[in-house]
Amino acid sequence: MIVEMNKGASDEQVEHVVERAHSYGFEVQLNLGTEKTVVAILGGNTGKVQTDVFAVLPGVESVTRVMKPYKLASREFHPRASKVNVSGVEIGGQRVVVMAGPCAVESEEQLMETAKGVRECGASIVRGGAFKPRTSPFSFQGLEEDGLKLLSKVKTDLGMPVITEVLDTPHIKIIAEHADILQVGARNMQNFALLKELSKLRHPILLKRGLSATVAEWLTAADYLLAEGNRRVILCERGIRTFEDSVRFSLDISSISVIKHISHLPIIVDPSHAAGHFAYVPSIAKAAIAAGADGLLIEVHPNPEEALVDSLQALTIPNFERLMAELRPIAEAVGRYI
Ligand code: PEP
Ligand code: MN
């Protein structure tokens, strides 16, 4: 339930609403806007309580029952678009933020060469998996802690923020020590134990859309991250499974418009995992920016032939450079810049 206070409602009136919510055993989250205060009333069974018990209180303008399963990620709760600052790089602002790097961290040379290359082309954040979610247990699982150390080295040597995936709760602490953004992969979007632990952090979290998750399920998963007060959540559309098998996943371009309409969270797009093939990455990336995405997450490898993971979808550094040049006028055409 969302309780919107009148403009100029007093602190006592807000407190009265909070007390009443607590008397029913509900949790509250306050959004103190410049114009008015919005109180989100949270709890599994708010549906059993009449909206009137809040509407009748002094200072309350309106009470809306939120039928949607997500609350904190919704625009109703937080009308203005959220921006997430990642070590000085703002995501959700006018600038389109490009994160690029290898699927997996493989060696210092590979990571450094890629990071330097993508930085020169205008990327501002380096990606690289240290713990890899592989379909087969016999595939390369990542360099794990050694991979994290290499990411830290990139951060120190090149001054670029880094993003890497967190696969499991026991790894959170060490990953948070090395990474600027913790990525929750598509296969973990509904790993609620992981999401709850990440909600206790104050690090930026990138939440990928599950392979077969609806937008509502995705935003409800984002609510888990927001529930304990972590406000720094970024969404990432990376394609969903459909009957179409000419690409790895079907990129749901319309989810960008939907998310922008119903949520305040920034959304970026990963064209690489959707395409599954380097030849399709540029056009999908361009479409994403044209559709209003706040950024891109792109796989780049200095020598895709040698890549240990996702070699077919990796762009070479020259291909990435060409794409960045092609993206700039598109960003400008939609009032952004790269
Ligand atoms: C990745 O970004 O390396 C990755 C594994 O992506 P996804 O979770 O979208 O499959
Ligand atoms: Mn990959």
Side-chain angles (χ1 to χ4, degrees), residues 135 186-187 208-212 237-252 270-277 280 284 310 313:
T135 303
R187 288 151 192 86
K208 285 202 160 191
R209 182 177 182 177
L211 316 186
S212 57
E237 168 64 59
R238 46 79 72 212
I240 49 175
R241 186 149 278 164
T242 68
F243 52 82
E244 182 53 63
D245 62 2
S246 58
V247 282
R248 196 170 172 193
F249 295 95
S250 299
L251 188 92
D252 180 8
D270 171 352
S272 306
H273 288 87
H277 194 294
Y280 306 142
I284 300 176
D310 285 348
Q313 69 200 31

Side-chain angles (χ1 to χ4, degrees), residues 20-32:
R20 181 147 296 190
H22 285 158
S23 74
Y24 284 101
F26 301 143
E27 303 265 86
V28 299
Q29 270 211 8
L30 289 182
N31 181 25
L32 307 167

Side-chain angles (χ1 to χ4, degrees), residues 42 69-74 199 207 218-228:
L42 312 163
Y70 53 87
K71 298 178 179 68
L72 305 175
S74 74
S199 181
L207 180 66
W218 187 16
L219 290 177
T220 312
D223 263 9
Y224 269 91
L225 294 172
L226 296 161
E228 297 245 12

